[in-house]
Amino acid sequence: MVLEICPGARAYAILTPAPGGRPARLERGRVDLKRNISMLLRHPQAIPPLLSNVKRTVTVRRDYARNDGLSGNPKGISLTITKLCNLNCSMCHYAYSARDDVKINEVTRGGKNNMDLEMVEKLVSEWTGPKPYIAITGGEPTIHPQLVEIVRAIKGAGFTCMLVSNGAKLAKRADELVDAGVDVVSVSIDGDRETHDKIRGVPGTYDRAVEAMKAVVAAREKRGKIRPLVFINSVMSNGSVDNLESLVDLANEVEANGINFQHLWLQTDEMVCAHNELVPELPMQDVYDLDIDAHVDDVEALVAKLDEVKTQHRFVNVFPALSAEKVRTYYAQPMEPVWADAPSRCGWLYAIIQPDGRITQCKEHDMGSLADASFHEVWNGERFREFRGTIKQHGTFPICVRCCQYFKEW
């Protein structure tokens, strides 16, 4: 079994309405919606991007109904500015991939490691129409030597900008990032000091991440600003289930705006085989070679812990938001849909841009490159339209049911 994390999902839940409107999730949706409204009342700067997200969630249904594969602008872009990372997280499929062109943490690897600032400037300067949020991810984005300049370019063009970081190198860049105008900073923490450092593979990572969050909050308050919002993101696994309460204490200590507990994304051999048989034109490649303890065995303990921590902080989000019954299904039956009536619309809503400018979907399937065309030309180009047609034909691929992109709309 392959288990992984999705960088773009770490900050996503901050600017997304809670799921609701379907009988199986209505009660949970109401609870999460109430929590989100409370959050927005305290932080009104998050309202405009939230409204934009809500609008796109509605209009995507119109685009999905088209027969030509054309789509309006995406709701979000994951901007992978570097493939390099300074940690070796036990749940990260990139760190442990068997393929050199996928593996990170190595300075000498195939392909381009860092995105050029000029590529970002091209993306935002050529943009027309509604602006998506842009989540700066990696690898570890604070490694990129022009991170601050990239944030300035994004904000100067009027986009909402999130930064997803492990926090190890963030503290020393806190002041300039706040000055650059980043809207959200999401820092990954997986439990108490011992648990976090073990999962992340580098001693001292916990203390540096805590220092980073305090530095960002201090820089924001020193300037009298209301942004960036600071969030803790925690990927749940066997190693962290017993430590979820410690994150609530930490969030209060560092004055974080909230916590996002994220379920692991699962890709089993059975899923890959079923997918490749169903859609051989979009094969899933064998990019992993994992032998790690990154899963959740005691699901009952996880369910109980999540119910408990939601009462201990003003804003605790779980992504995806599932009932206790669905959490059990999620881990015990990875190929069983937890939202059976929800087709995949990720090809209409999200794009990942690689460091070399390639715009990708679904495990790095290449849709085109910013090096050769504008984003809009690629977004509604032949490859993307064919990709959307294939998704629509099948509704949901076997690998979709435990993929972060699939859950982002719902």
Side-chain angles (χ1 to χ4, degrees):
M1 178 183 295
V2 171
L3 304 109
E4 58 191 285
I5 56 173
C6 175
R10 299 175 188 172
Y12 165 78
I14 302 165
L15 297 176
T16 297
R22 298 179 186 274
R25 294 176 281 124
L26 185 57
E27 181 177 356
R28 178 61 62 90
R30 286 171 177 166
V31 172
D32 287 345
L33 182 59
K34 181 179 179 181
R35 187 178 294 111
N36 282 346
I37 290 174
S38 175
M39 165 78 178
L40 291 171
L41 290 176
R42 294 193 303 274
H43 302 286
Q45 71 272 27
I47 292 177
L50 173 62
L51 293 178
S52 177
N53 279 345
V54 171
K55 179 180 178 181
R56 183 55 184 144
T57 299
V58 173
T59 59
V60 71
R61 303 174 194 277
R62 173 201 64 202
D63 293 344
Y64 185 83
R66 298 178 64 124
N67 294 320
D68 55 12
L70 296 174
S71 175
N73 284 355
K75 176 159 52 173
I77 290 176
S78 179
L79 195 65
T80 309
I81 65 171
T82 182
K83 286 289 190 181
L84 303 179
C85 187
N86 52 336
L87 302 183
N88 288 285
C89 305
S90 63
M91 80 293 284
C92 180
H93 61 285
Y94 289 110
Y96 290 88
S97 173
R99 277 177 50 193
D100 289 338
D101 62 325
V102 172
K103 188 182 299 183
I104 61 174
N105 302 358
E106 296 181 359
V107 176
T108 56
R109 60 184 295 278
K112 188 174 180 62
N113 290 326
N114 289 331
M115 180 177 289
D116 295 330
L117 174 62
E118 292 74 20
M119 189 72 72
V120 181
E121 293 173 337
K122 170 181 167 63
L123 169 70
V124 299
S125 65
E126 294 177 344
W127 197 272
T128 59
K131 293 181 172 68
Y133 69 80
I134 296 179
I136 300 177
T137 68
E140 170 51 38
T142 57
I143 290 177
H144 198 293
Q146 293 181 300
L147 170 62
V148 175
E149 289 79 4
I150 288 173
V151 173
R152 289 194 186 115
I154 293 170
K155 291 305 301 174
F159 290 80
T160 297
C161 181
M162 305 178 185
L163 175 66
V164 181
S165 173
N166 61 40
K169 293 181 175 292
L170 178 60
K172 64 181 181 181
R173 310 191 79 167
D175 287 287
E176 52 187 355
L177 284 168
V178 172
D179 286 336
V182 64
D183 296 287
V184 176
V185 173
S186 177
V187 177
S188 301
I189 305 278
D190 297 313
D192 59 22
R193 179 179 289 103
E194 180 181 359
T195 300
H196 179 81
D197 285 2
K198 179 180 179 180
I199 290 175
R200 296 287 160 175
V202 178
T205 300
Y206 177 90
D207 289 334
R208 288 192 290 273
V210 171
E211 178 190 4
M213 289 187 288
K214 290 181 177 179
V216 172
V217 171
R220 180 186 68 193
E221 293 183 350
K222 180 180 179 180
R223 290 157 175 78
K225 292 189 174 184
I226 57 176
R227 64 187 183 197
L229 301 179
V230 176
F231 278 76
I232 292 174
N233 185 81
S234 180
V235 179
M236 297 174 289
S237 68
N238 277 340
S240 63
V241 169
D242 292 334
N243 287 277
L244 301 188
E245 299 98 326
S246 69
L247 293 174
V248 177
D249 296 335
L250 177 62
N252 290 322
E253 175 190 343
V254 302
E255 301 181 54
N257 297 101
I259 311 171
N260 180 42
F261 290 109
Q262 178 186 316
H263 289 293
L264 282 161
W265 311 116
L266 288 72
Q267 179 181 302
T268 66
D269 292 338
E270 185 181 8
M271 283 180 183
V272 173
C273 290
H275 173 89
N276 289 345
E277 182 176 347
L278 181 67
V279 280
E281 66 271 34
L282 289 172
M284 299 308 301
Q285 301 180 50
D286 182 15
V287 300
Y288 313 113
D289 184 19
L290 306 189
D291 184 21
I292 54 177
D293 186 32
H295 50 96
V296 175
D297 292 319
D298 193 345
V299 177
E300 295 305 318
L302 175 61
V303 169
K305 290 283 187 181
L306 290 176
D307 285 341
E308 181 179 351
V309 297
K310 279 193 171 185
T311 68
Q312 298 174 352
H313 192 276
R314 292 176 299 176
F315 187 81
V316 174
N317 180 77
V318 180
F319 178 71
L322 302 171
S323 66
E325 178 185 357
K326 294 300 183 182
V327 171
R328 297 183 184 102
T329 301
Y330 188 95
Y331 287 100
Q333 301 170 272
M335 284 193 67
E336 182 69 22
V338 289
W339 295 334
D341 55 348
S344 175
R345 297 194 179 105
C346 56
W348 288 259
L349 290 171
Y350 302 100
I352 300 172
I353 304 180
Q354 305 295 339
D356 59 4
R358 288 179 300 114
I359 300 172
T360 60
Q361 288 284 296
C362 199
K363 303 296 183 186
E364 299 199 18
H365 282 296
D366 192 348
M367 300 289 114
S369 176
L370 292 178
D372 305 317
S374 71
F375 179 90
H376 299 288
E377 289 170 331
V378 176
W379 181 248
N380 278 314
E382 182 178 357
R383 291 186 210 170
F384 241 122
R385 287 186 281 113
E386 290 179 352
F387 178 76
R388 295 184 186 115
T390 304
I391 294 178
K392 189 174 178 181
Q393 176 186 352
H394 298 287
T396 302
F397 298 152
I399 59 165
C400 292
V401 294
R402 297 295 182 269
C403 175
C404 60
Q405 299 288 352
Y406 170 75
F407 286 99
K408 284 184 179 181
E409 182 192 359
W410 307 103

